[in-house]
Amino acid sequence: MPASRGEPPPPSLPQAPARSSWLGFLPVSALEDNVRNMNIEAEEAYEVDEDDSEPVDSFCKLPLAFSCPRHLQPVQGVEMIMQTWRMRERMKTVSVALVICQNVGVDPPDVTKTQPCARQECWVDPLSLNPQRALETIGGNLQRQYERWQPRARYRQSLDPTVEEVRRLATGLRRSARDERVLFHYNGHGVPRPTANGEIWVFNRSYTQYIPLSIYDLQSWMGSPSIYVYDCNNAGIIVDSFRNFAEQHEREYVEQIRAGGPQAGGTELPPPPSLRNCIQLAACSKDQLLPMNPDLPADLFTACLTTPIKVALRWFVMKNDLGYLAPKVKLEQLEKIPGQFGDRRTMLGELNWIFTAITDTIAWNTLPRDTFQKLFRQDLLVASLFRNFLLAERIMKSNDCTPVSQPKLPGTHQHPMWEAWDLAVDICLSQLKNILEEDKTYLPSSFFEEQLTAFEVWLSHGCEERSPPEQLPIVLQVLLSQAHRLRALDLLGKFLDLGPWAVNLALSVGIFPYVLKLLQSSARELRPLLVFIWAKILAVDSSCQQDLVRDQSHKYFLTVLQDPAMLPQVKTWAVFVLSSVVQGYKQGQDEAVAGNLISICLNEMDEADPVFKQWLAICLGTLWDKHEEARGRAMRCNAPESLETLLLDQTPEVRAAAVYALGTFINSCSERTEHANTLDQNIATRLLQKILEDGSTLVRKELVVTMQYVVNSFPNNFMALMRAIADEDDGLAAGTRSSLLSSSTSTLGRVSSEDKLSRQVLQQRRSVVGIPQSMTGSVTELNRMGDLGILTTPKRGRKSVIGLAGVGTQHHVASLASLASMACYGPGVTAKFKPFYLKVVGGLMVLERDPDKEVGTMARQVLDTIYNKMVAAERERKGSGVFRSLSQAELHSVSAPGSPAKASFMLGDSPPGHNTTLPASFRQGLAGSVGGQHSLTLPSDLASKPAQAWLGRSTVSDISEDGGQETGVKTNFLAWSAKHFSSRLMKLGEDMVDLESEEYWARQWLYDRNEKVKKRAAAERKSVEQGSGRLDDQLGVVKIPQPPSVLAYEPYTSSLAVATRDSILLVGNKPGPSPQVTTSWGNGNSRVSQITSLQFCNSHERGLLVAGSDDGCVRVWRGWDESPHLVTGWTLLPEMVPQSLAGSRVSYGLQLAWSQPDQLLVGAGDAKNIRLWDCSAEVRLCDLPIQSDSCVTCLHMDKGVLAASFGDGQIKLFDYRAPPASARIMAFREHKQLVLSLKMQEGGKIVSGCTEGVVKVWDIRRQSSLTTLETNQPAVSLDIHQSAPVFAAWTSTQQISFHSLHEGKVLNQIRYHEGLLGNRLGPVNCLKFHPSLIQLAAASTDSHVSMFGYRRY
């Protein structure tokens, strides 16, 4: 099954036959399935008409149930490995020391220069001026060249200095720079080479001697962080010495620390220079001299670092023979290139722009990410110098020099992007002659268009496994161009859509400040693209919320959200960005409230797009979370009423978002007033009414968290209620133990859902003999009795409760519906407290028994916390020796909550607060938990180990959400919902099917398998009608651990699902030739309930198994053929009573029927209604009244008609498409006994069989039966084939008999298992036909399951 329609196909796929196409013979992977073991042999493949089987296209059109992301993936946020794109410490080079040792006119003695030789320094020939003037000119030019890259730095020149002048200069700049970076530029063209001892040269005062200056001293003066540029011969020596001296400084520092600090000086020890923060750029290695080519400047390295475009163009023209690639361009013409570096519309500006893009691209594709961040994104001047250093490496390498850097960079002089630079320069220079001579207009380069095209090509095949696109830094530069900005944003959005890894790459290359600045643009055409990009960024890194609020850029998204021209999808992205801005960020919430975000979201609620509505609700919930002002604004806007309309939405995610928003609304109240209490209680009551029976676990989890907020808001009231419940449960437990074990020991404990139910049964029957019928005395059952508190003293602490009443209770009290209203408790509980508190606790008790374990665990934590707080209060009260009542007049009131619009307190009076009857110290312990999100904070004394031991139950585990200071239950709904924006959103052509994909052929193989099964089934039906076969071929016998109770065949395979009381087993032919149990797992139902129904859904592809238990719960299982796991579960009929508690009343438990085209699940049992459940929306569709006192025994539905049979023999037909009041269309009353099987067959026929052994055939258009067939023996178990004219019965003669529906004659009988010494069949309690094939499974009470197949004569 493809990912777009459900889960992916299994990993191990056998090879199907090869298919021929223009691509050659390609093996097609097919799903491994049991169909090969179905004995579909050549002789059984009878010829049938094509009209008898459905085409393959019919399977494609069937919808898949429970195949949404909430079912296929865990509800948790995306797991990302965040890269460090945001620099922890931004640095700035604030001071620059320019040390120039030229001694113009005097060459150093250790270097013999060629004649002619390179003479230009900073593009000035020093010999053309007098020495002093030349030196000053060189210094001024060098400063101006640096100022282009960092105009705000403090520049100091030191021309032909002495050691003392260098010391004063370095120490002064370090003192003024403090912790910022200082640059030291050294030009040593007029002094000897550096020494092997790590010394550079300066002058004495009279310029008669060269004086050495140790790098060790220079390090001490410069400190760190610093950057050094060495433009001299053998400059690599300095880099090596620098490292050695830095290590020496660190060793000396450590020694001084050990010796007790500085010596006689008494000053503080300066920190040692850190090599990590010191950057060095050297013109050549330790054994190289600088180039002496007279066509190049003498300070070629400095020229590359400070005037890169000028050097690059000259070198390009010189390299290409003065115009070989750029015709008729002379060196002197390069000085006349028009334009400014900052104007990208001119030739010079565009060349500079292209150069920046290319050098950034080379660095990003070559350097490690952390090195790139440090050198190219931390400091503007450092970034410029290293971009230019890449050019210096290329040019110096061509002149037999190797520049050196620290940190060391890999070689980049042969990177392919330099060829793109040469091409761009060539194209630009080719226009220079016409521009200069004919004054023609400069035509912009096509460089960026071509690079965007290359990036687009990469995107067409891009994925995480491929190397990153090298054009990504160029896309960043293109965002600066208004001409290409739209296309660049579009391509950038497509790249970010590839996944979180792509977002991390884009952030690491430096995209963030560019897209942040673009939010100041007013261009409407950019809005969808910018909103999409920001949604992608915030889905990966929510810390960007601070940048948006700081720059007031969040207003951009408020404008988009109000723009009527924007599509709902674009508005969804915008509201996600806004919700990320306000989530957990007080300043963001303040700005959003000021921007009327609440009103804007409420006005957009009418949109039909479910994802948009979901995020509108989430945005509101995050906006007013712990924000009193936002809550007040929401009250004035009637926001709770608007959100309550979403509780009936058909999309579970929308309902969950609405519950989340209402929960945070309750949690945001910091000061309790009567009006606030009434409003919150009304909200909680309506939530329980509408959401308690919701089918989605997403919604129910949010309901538990919301009820936790309610408990936090009224802690004292709920503790008083828990005290009353504990007293009643403790009395019931003491009475039960006294009657069973003559023990009067009593312990304080909260009874749990299952223990309370068991205790009720024991209280009613008053003897061990009277325990539920399902407890038959085995060791397992005795252990279970011990768990129920029958044979052992109950554990201390809060015990689990199903909350059922004691002696004399009615039958309906033993259900979840009674627990929700607390009707199962006596007047000691129900008469003393307001209905609101009873409903909340009852709802939590129902949720504690939720079919989904996570929901049950969360609800149990909330109830345990109330109980533990109550126990702590009791301990403190008893310890203080002062008795104080926990109840109030308000608690004893049974009136409904008042209207939220009418406050009962007068203006000017203090509003009523919390219950004040508890000790002050305990109230203080509770204060921290009332307003906290997802918080149930326990008093400090409960956190100790003795308290936990005394309670017998650990306190609620800390689950931190904000800073680790809050405890309680929480969900991952927000993070999981945000995960949607980190997945692929641009799915153009998603409806198109890849006809060559493995998923497509795997699905086609399944459809072909289904067709073969249908053809075989048609052939077997034809054989039965002709009387040329028997159903007596024993396929196998399987022994299982417990007696089976329910059987179900998978429609298109021979796999058989077998259910015992609380477990499910899958019987198949893998891995051996005979059937055996391949998988088994526990269903997870309560100890007092059992599985009563199994149904397969999505069986035409990868099927799901639906299991119904007699307490009204339904669980859906996936992967049951390999590793079963629960997809979802919910309570379909909460009023159902488990069979073990039904007493003498006949109950068949919960019966299910499934309709794949409609995605409808129908459930009924010993209840007043038949419930239709919409599995696509996971909500109740309608209830059909059965108008009968008997239980429903069978259900079957086909083409809009539902047939139900009852324990009194009635059969009723319903048209579930009609209104419930008029849905019943027919009733048949000819059966006198309980109906065992009911099937609707083709042609409008209904076949039913009862315990008298009578089978009747009906026409839905007639009141009376068409045919009556009698077996003349009472039937213990009976089943009718869904399509073939046969039925099977286990009668009192202890045999299975197969009958034809045409004449009622016996086709054959089975008494014994096959074999010479075959044993007699055990008492059969369940028969089940295969839905398509003529196969039968029989389950016996001796824990054997037998399977029989059709055999042709």
Side-chain angles (χ1 to χ4, degrees), residues 1243-1348:
K1245 293 182 179 181
I1246 299 178
V1247 185
S1248 60
C1250 66
T1251 55
E1252 290 182 324
V1254 176
V1255 176
K1256 291 181 177 290
V1257 181
W1258 314 81
D1259 190 322
I1260 62 174
R1261 297 165 294 185
R1262 298 181 58 180
Q1263 189 70 36
S1264 58
S1265 60
L1266 300 177
T1267 307
T1268 300
L1269 308 174
E1270 297 188 7
T1271 61
N1272 299 319
Q1273 293 178 359
V1276 178
S1277 182
L1278 184 146
D1279 193 37
I1280 303 164
H1281 199 279
Q1282 185 169 331
S1283 56
V1286 294
F1287 69 92
W1290 173 265
T1291 61
S1292 57
T1293 59
Q1294 304 295 305
Q1295 64 183 5
I1296 300 176
S1297 57
F1298 300 92
H1299 302 259
S1300 171
L1301 287 178
H1302 293 310
E1303 301 174 357
K1305 66 178 182 179
V1306 179
L1307 299 178
N1308 61 280
Q1309 296 176 338
I1310 300 177
R1311 292 187 177 90
Y1312 300 93
H1313 294 295
E1314 284 187 354
L1316 182 63
L1317 300 177
N1319 297 326
R1320 189 178 182 89
L1321 292 175
V1324 174
N1325 63 348
C1326 183
L1327 294 173
K1328 194 66 177 180
F1329 272 111
H1330 193 284
S1332 304
L1333 304 175
I1334 302 181
Q1335 291 184 5
L1336 179 74
S1340 57
T1341 56
D1342 59 358
S1343 301
H1344 284 84
V1345 178
S1346 305
M1347 287 150 284
F1348 303 94

Side-chain angles (χ1 to χ4, degrees), residues 712-733:
N712 290 350
S713 301
F714 310 97
N716 302 338
N717 305 344
F718 284 103
M719 285 192 297
L721 175 57
M722 189 61 70
R723 171 74 270 176
I725 293 173
D727 289 341
E728 179 171 320
D729 291 338
D730 191 50
L732 176 61

